[in-house]
Amino acid sequence: MPKLRNTLFLLYLLFFCFVFFSEASVHEYNGQKFVSKGNAFVVHGGSEGIYSSFADTHNVTAIAGDSFVRFEKITFRRPKESSNFSSHSIQAIVFEVEDREAIGGSAYGGQRAVCCTADLAKLGVCSEGEIIHRPSTKNPGWPKVFGVSFSEDDEVTTLPLKSIQITKTGMYNLYFIHCDLNLKDLTVEGKTVWKNPTGYLPGRMAPLMNFYGFMSLAFVILGIFWFLQYARFWREVLPLQNCITLVITLGMLEMALWYFDYAEFNESGTRPVGITMWAVTFDTIKRTIARIIILMVSMGYGVVRPTLGGLTSKVTMLGATFFLASEILELVENVGAVSDLSGKARLFLVLPVAILDAFFILWIFTSLSSTLNKLQTRRMVAKLDIYRKFTNALAVAVIVSVGWICYEIYFKANDVYNEQWQNAWIIPAFWQILSFSLLCVICVLWAPSQNSTRYAYSGEANEDFDKDDTNLTLIKPSPTPSKDFRTAPETRTVQGSNGASSNGDLEEDKTE
């Protein structure tokens, strides 16, 4: 218990630290220090995909919605002991990723620099101590560069209020940069507001709001089908079907929460931490329970074995570990974070989840192989048929997953600067569609029906099938009734009582 409490404490500490330093569509700067990059001092102000403003037919004025980056109360502060001199300009630079080569330069083919060096100043291409930038050949008037400087004895200086209209769809970056060595302890405060035509959602996330709305509807349709079947045959419901009901309910809640999370963010410009946390938690619980259910089904729980026995603790431990690793990853990736640049922390946190997923898959298919062999040996035709379909569905899902992972690696390897941000939403959406499709297959295979009990575990049938099946068909009535032998009708009655309470099981007995 102490170890568990310590783990939970570290989890919430990580979460609160991340929320405190996270970015939002309203990017806030709370005393960030400038970091030395080459010969410049830099603060990254944000990166987002932004669609151009909706315009009229003559492309003159935006009428349906404006796209912009607005600077509000951006203040630079320096220590009092460093305030006895006038400074060089502290500049904000906004540029589209295609214009990245227009920032910085080098003299005589040397190392690339952001700040103008003495050699470059001699060439007349820039003024020493200023940011090197050239006009874009693809987007006239860009990049946008403006700034402010400290007067003597000033400890604080404020950037003028400014709003930059976005007229070209692209991935935009904002940096605050200065080239003055005397301002190495400079900090920045304030906020910038980034807006798309339809709201404050970053461009990469904007399509996901409609996607989660669609997925909410899909889960409602699946839920209606399942609950109608559940209500019709509630007397025949198995424990496994109760678990499937739980997964469907969690999925409906998860999709609704994700939709409201994105809708609220789109309206306000800041991500609602409470809704996001609930959405992340429901998502993690659903995925964990779904994996445990698939593993239990693969082991034959409720079909060829009444309990998991000594495996219960191992399954529980694997599920708890997967939940913890997934919860940390999802919190870091979603709660408060909206920057369209993928975080480096994700590369570290995704590894444990991937390893645990691989362990789940290995255990599932190993257990499935054993269960299929038992069903085939015992000649349980109906159960064998449903397990074969289930195995085929899982195999297809794994093959498709591996293929998609390869595509995802290829996509990210060839999109270093996030130029394909408009298609990036497809990657998380695919995993939701795949898991939903697999859930639909499971619901079809194990839907409540009047024959549900034919798939349930039967202790008597299990004991009889452990014997030599051929002996059951060779029993003949004795000419003289005795206590040691049964008549033929009695023998058939015994066969019928071995879990064969339905016509389907009688058919299985005939096949034997």
Side-chain angles (χ1 to χ4, degrees), residues 44-294:
H44 181 221
S47 298
E48 286 189 16
I50 304 181
Y51 292 93
S52 61
S53 299
F54 293 154
D56 60 16
T57 54
H58 301 287
N59 199 27
V60 177
T61 58
I63 57 174
D66 287 336
S67 298
F68 57 78
V69 178
R70 187 170 65 234
F71 294 78
E72 296 183 358
K73 299 179 181 179
I74 300 298
T75 300
F76 302 101
R77 188 180 301 274
R78 62 179 177 177
K80 185 175 182 179
E81 57 272 16
S82 303
S83 62
N84 56 352
F85 62 91
S86 299
S87 70
H88 289 295
S89 179
I90 305 143
Q91 295 178 305
I93 179 167
V94 183
F95 63 94
E96 206 270 326
V97 69
E98 290 185 357
D99 300 328
R100 59 186 178 275
E101 296 299 328
I103 311 299
S106 60
Y108 312 112
Q111 185 177 1
R112 191 175 184 84
V114 174
C115 294
C116 186
T117 62
D119 291 336
L120 287 171
K122 290 177 183 178
L123 295 175
V125 297
C126 57
S127 301
E128 187 173 359
E130 298 295 325
I131 297 174
I132 305 169
H133 65 279
R134 296 171 297 282
S136 171
T137 57
K138 299 179 181 179
N139 197 5
W142 288 80
K144 301 292 185 182
V145 182
F146 55 98
V148 68
S149 58
F150 284 97
S151 300
E152 189 173 354
D153 297 329
D154 285 346
E155 295 181 31
V156 177
T157 186
T158 302
L159 204 65
L161 296 177
K162 188 176 182 66
S163 183
I164 299 175
Q165 186 85 9
I166 304 298
T167 56
K168 178 178 178 289
T169 298
M171 171 65 70
Y172 288 86
N173 298 274
L174 165 64
Y175 288 90
F176 299 106
I177 305 175
H178 74 82
C179 306
D180 195 334
L181 290 173
N182 295 316
L183 294 176
K184 61 181 180 179
D185 294 324
L186 188 68
T187 60
V188 59
E189 300 173 357
K191 66 180 180 180
T192 54
V193 180
W194 306 56
K195 185 178 178 297
N196 271 288
T198 56
Y200 292 98
L201 273 176
R204 175 180 57 85
M205 301 171 67
L208 288 172
M209 184 174 73
N210 294 331
F211 170 76
Y212 282 117
F214 169 78
M215 289 301 299
S216 297
L217 178 61
F219 263 97
V220 168
I221 295 173
L222 177 63
I224 291 173
F225 160 76
W226 182 264
F227 291 127
L228 284 177
Q229 292 293 107
Y230 194 97
R232 286 180 61 192
F233 306 106
W234 64 273
R235 294 181 183 275
E236 309 294 330
V237 168
L238 306 175
L240 173 62
Q241 292 164 334
N242 289 328
C243 295
I244 296 173
T245 303
L246 175 61
V247 173
I248 294 174
T249 304
L250 289 172
M252 294 172 66
L253 292 172
E254 177 203 349
M255 293 301 115
L257 285 169
W258 279 126
Y259 176 79
F260 288 122
D261 174 51
Y262 282 88
E264 175 64 22
F265 183 20
N266 193 50
E267 288 294 325
S268 65
T270 56
R271 196 158 190 179
V273 175
I275 298 178
T276 309
M277 279 194 66
W278 279 110
V280 165
T281 303
F282 273 107
D283 178 26
T284 307
I285 293 174
K286 185 200 74 175
R287 288 192 289 124
T288 303
I289 292 178
R291 281 161 174 75
I292 291 176
I293 289 174
I294 292 174

Side-chain angles (χ1 to χ4, degrees), residues 197-500:
T198 56
Y200 292 98
L201 273 176
R204 175 180 57 85
M205 301 171 67
L208 288 172
M209 184 174 73
N210 294 331
F211 170 76
Y212 282 117
F214 169 78
M215 289 301 299
S216 297
L217 178 61
F219 263 97
V220 168
I221 295 173
L222 177 63
I224 291 173
F225 160 76
W226 182 264
F227 291 127
L228 284 177
Q229 292 293 107
Y230 194 97
R232 286 180 61 192
F233 306 106
W234 64 273
R235 294 181 183 275
E236 309 294 330
V237 168
L238 306 175
L240 173 62
Q241 292 164 334
N242 289 328
C243 295
I244 296 173
T245 303
L246 175 61
V247 173
I248 294 174
T249 304
L250 289 172
M252 294 172 66
L253 292 172
E254 177 203 349
M255 293 301 115
L257 285 169
W258 279 126
Y259 176 79
F260 288 122
D261 174 51
Y262 282 88
E264 175 64 22
F265 183 20
N266 193 50
E267 288 294 325
S268 65
T270 56
R271 196 158 190 179
V273 175
I275 298 178
T276 309
M277 279 194 66
W278 279 110
V280 165
T281 303
F282 273 107
D283 178 26
T284 307
I285 293 174
K286 185 200 74 175
R287 288 192 289 124
T288 303
I289 292 178
R291 281 161 174 75
I292 291 176
I293 289 174
I294 292 174
L295 179 57
M296 291 168 60
V297 170
S298 302
M299 290 176 173
Y301 171 71
V303 178
V304 297
R305 59 197 306 171
T307 66
L308 296 181
L311 295 174
T312 302
S313 59
K314 296 180 180 179
V315 172
T316 303
M317 184 179 299
L318 178 61
T321 306
F322 179 82
F323 171 80
L324 184 63
S326 298
E327 183 77 356
I328 293 174
L329 174 62
E330 295 298 323
L331 285 175
V332 170
E333 193 173 37
N334 291 286
V335 178
V338 301
S339 179
D340 278 339
L341 288 176
S342 57
K344 293 181 180 179
R346 186 180 186 278
L347 298 177
F348 173 75
L349 295 173
V350 77
L351 186 60
V353 178
I355 293 174
L356 291 169
D357 251 335
F359 194 83
F360 260 117
I361 292 171
L362 181 63
W363 200 356
I364 285 169
F365 278 97
T366 302
S367 302
L368 269 176
S369 177
S370 176
T371 302
L372 286 170
N373 288 336
K374 289 180 181 178
L375 292 173
Q376 192 167 9
T377 301
R378 298 170 183 177
R379 299 180 182 180
M380 296 179 177
V381 178
K383 295 176 182 178
L384 181 61
D385 180 61
I386 198 172
Y387 261 83
R388 280 175 174 166
K389 293 177 181 177
F390 178 62
T391 303
N392 292 336
L394 280 181
V396 170
V398 170
I399 292 171
V400 172
S401 297
V402 172
W404 189 258
I405 289 172
C406 293
Y407 170 75
E408 187 174 345
I409 293 172
Y410 170 81
F411 180 88
K412 292 183 177 180
N414 289 275
D415 190 33
V416 179
Y417 299 103
N418 293 277
E419 295 175 274
Q420 301 296 322
W421 59 274
Q422 294 183 69
N423 300 322
W425 69 275
I426 298 174
I427 291 177
F430 171 82
W431 295 113
Q432 293 285 359
I433 293 174
L434 181 63
S435 62
F436 178 76
S437 301
L438 187 58
L439 179 60
C440 288
V441 171
I442 293 174
C443 287
V444 171
L445 292 177
W446 272 281
S449 67
Q450 60 184 359
N451 295 323
S452 291
T453 53
R454 71 187 298 191
Y455 304 118
Y457 170 80
S458 174
E460 295 178 356
N462 185 55
E463 292 172 1
D464 285 340
F465 278 120
D466 282 338
K467 302 175 184 177
D468 186 2
D469 294 321
T470 58
N471 292 335
L472 295 176
T473 61
L474 297 177
I475 299 176
K476 296 181 179 180
S478 172
T480 305
S482 67
K483 297 180 181 179
D484 298 328
F485 296 92
R486 297 184 179 91
T487 63
E490 290 174 339
T491 302
R492 184 162 300 279
T493 303
V494 172
Q495 290 179 348
S497 65
N498 289 336

